[in-house]
Amino acid sequence: MSDVELKFPVVAHQRLIVEAAKRDDAATKAAFAGFDLVESVTESRASAGGKYIAFALSVRLKDREEMARFDATVATVPGLKMCL
């Protein structure tokens, strides 16, 4: 693996996979209110069985500290299964 250094600011595109039964759209959107969203939190699709919902968002991060804060915020999303 090569040593690649991020150049800030950087725009990160995220897809959040959330358990449909535990989703809380208002809490999820509120969690990211303090960030510079390039594309707001939007529902993108449901799994074939309807057990999971995918949300997409894009955020501009100004430095590593903000990136760490963003990562910690992602972990607070209700029903989060994974982040891609």
Side-chain angles (χ1 to χ4, degrees), residues 2-81:
S2 65
D3 293 329
V4 177
E5 186 173 332
L6 290 175
K7 303 286 185 198
F8 290 93
V10 65
V11 175
H13 306 282
Q14 304 292 312
R15 185 165 308 265
L16 309 175
I17 310 300
V18 175
E19 293 180 57
K22 296 180 181 178
R23 77 187 273 184
D24 183 340
D25 295 2
T28 298
K29 289 179 180 182
F32 298 107
F35 291 95
D36 181 10
L37 296 179
V38 176
E39 291 183 33
S40 61
V41 180
T42 56
E43 183 176 329
S44 59
R45 61 182 292 174
S47 63
K51 186 174 180 179
Y52 300 101
I53 305 290
F55 291 90
L57 70 126
S58 296
V59 60
R60 183 175 295 108
L61 302 168
K62 64 182 177 190
D63 54 29
R64 288 199 181 278
E65 290 77 24
E66 188 172 46
M67 186 167 65
R69 188 170 62 86
F70 178 78
D71 288 343
T73 300
V74 167
T76 69
V77 170
L80 182 71
K81 185 69 174 173

